[in-house]
């Protein structure tokens, strides 16, 4: 089946979040598409992420299977790349129908092979070195600290993540979204558990989530889980 894609001249084309989502929806709407069952995830999860969080330069792997879809931004932290790779393996092996993998970027939506996905996963857009975060040009974006804490009678993991930067004006929305993802991954590493709730996430004392979106559109950060096995059940 022919894949729908906006990618014709990747050196010139750059697409809006709305155009990218329409391309994703068009793939799902193809007559006889074997993974059309994933359309619920497309509209429940993927649409909001693309329309609210997609930024130029961001790369996502979109894994589409008969059991649903999984959209993961890659190149930000090794932990999220591990999660993206796990969703690919799970989707390809959990059903005789297999799955399809798409690279979603500001050049459009392009179907790729598993080996091409691994090539994309090998490229990092941000570098986490100890408690420091750099971009690929070596510019220091911020330093961070993860503080775990517990509540009496509560077996959950909680964390406060603080970033400090000397150059807040130069941080783009892409950077802020990346820092938020890095915070989640580092909290998971600190807790040694995929289930951890980030109660506060700040940079220079300001809430990162509110900096990304207006307060009236933000919600509390959820209890994070990255258990790939849930997609294989």
């Amino acid at each position: 089946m022919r894949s729908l894609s906006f990618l014709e001249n990747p050196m010139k084309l750059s697409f809006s979040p709305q155009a990218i989502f329409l391309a994703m929806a068009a793939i799902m709407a193809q007559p006889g598409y074997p993974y059309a069952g994933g359309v619920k995830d497309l509209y429940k999860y993927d649409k909001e992420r693309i329309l609210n969080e997609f930024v130029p330069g961001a790369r996502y792997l979109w894994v589409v299977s008969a059991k649903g879809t999984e959209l993961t931004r890659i190149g930000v932290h090794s932990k999220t790349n591990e999660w993206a790779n796990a969703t690919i393996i799970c989707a390809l092996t959990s059903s005789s129908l297999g799955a399809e993998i798409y690279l979603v970027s500001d050049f459009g939506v392009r179907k790729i092979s598993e080996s091409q996905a691994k090539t994309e996963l090998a490229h990092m857009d941000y570098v986490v070195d100890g408690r420091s975060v750099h971009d690929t040009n070596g510019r220091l974006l911020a330093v961070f600290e993860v503080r775990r804490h517990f509540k009496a009678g509560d077996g959950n993991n909680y964390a406060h993540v603080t970033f400090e930067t000397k150059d807040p004006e130069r941080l783009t929305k892409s950077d802020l979204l990346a820092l938020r993802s890095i915070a989640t991954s580092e909290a998971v590493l600190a807790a040694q558990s995929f289930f951890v709730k980030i109660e506060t996430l700040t940079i220079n004392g300001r809430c990162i989530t509110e900096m990304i979106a207006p307060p009236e559109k933000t919600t509390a950060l959820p209890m994070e889980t990255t258990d790939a096995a849930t997609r294989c059940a």
Side-chain angles (χ1 to χ4, degrees):
M1 183 175 293
R2 180 178 179 271
S3 169
L4 300 183
S5 173
F6 283 136
L7 191 63
E8 296 175 359
N9 188 340
M11 299 304 294
K12 294 183 179 180
L13 298 182
S14 183
F15 290 88
S16 68
Q18 292 79 8
I20 288 172
F21 173 72
L22 288 175
M24 296 165 73
I27 290 170
M28 286 286 195
Q30 294 177 89
Y33 188 61
Y35 311 115
V39 71
K40 182 178 179 180
D41 284 354
L42 172 70
Y43 283 93
K44 186 175 181 179
Y45 304 112
D46 304 340
K47 180 179 181 180
E48 181 178 1
R49 291 202 66 195
I50 289 296
L51 296 184
N52 293 338
E53 299 184 6
F54 187 84
V55 287
R59 293 175 299 128
Y60 290 81
L61 287 184
W62 187 43
V63 183
V64 183
S65 72
K67 293 189 176 183
T69 70
E70 194 71 44
L71 181 69
T72 308
R73 186 178 178 182
I74 60 173
V76 173
H77 194 282
S78 60
K79 205 68 182 173
T80 51
N81 276 20
E82 288 176 14
W83 164 250
N85 188 57
T87 62
I88 291 171
I89 295 171
C90 179
L92 290 174
T93 60
S94 63
S95 168
S96 60
L97 287 175
E100 288 184 344
I101 308 167
Y102 294 87
L103 176 65
V104 180
S105 71
D106 47 357
F107 297 130
V109 182
R110 177 167 61 98
K111 184 179 177 181
I112 61 175
S113 66
E114 184 179 3
S115 63
Q116 288 173 317
K118 291 185 182 299
T119 297
E120 292 292 334
L121 288 169
H123 172 69
M124 298 300 294
D125 300 317
Y126 294 87
V127 178
V128 180
D129 182 11
R131 294 177 52 243
S132 301
V133 182
H134 297 79
D135 64 18
T136 52
N137 294 320
R139 178 171 67 98
L140 176 64
L141 296 181
V143 295
F144 64 88
E145 179 181 14
V146 179
R147 291 182 291 112
R148 295 173 59 198
H149 71 100
F150 302 93
K151 298 180 180 181
D154 189 336
N156 294 317
N157 290 288
Y158 297 89
H160 298 284
V161 184
T162 57
F163 288 91
E164 295 291 334
T165 181
K166 294 181 179 179
D167 209 5
E169 295 79 11
R170 291 186 62 184
L171 293 178
T172 65
K173 182 177 180 180
S174 178
D175 294 334
L176 293 172
L177 287 164
L179 292 178
R180 187 172 71 176
S181 180
I182 288 168
T184 298
S185 296
E186 289 293 327
V188 166
L189 290 173
Q192 292 296 297
S193 170
F194 286 120
F195 297 90
V196 57
K197 183 174 183 178
I198 300 178
E199 293 205 304
T200 59
L201 172 55
T202 62
I203 184 163
N204 290 9
R206 296 183 61 191
C207 175
I208 289 182
T209 300
E210 291 186 1
M211 292 171 67
I212 293 169
E216 64 271 14
K217 293 185 179 181
T218 62
T219 56
L221 291 175
M223 185 72 75
E224 291 290 342
T225 174
T226 52
D227 183 1
T230 59
R231 284 290 182 184
C232 293

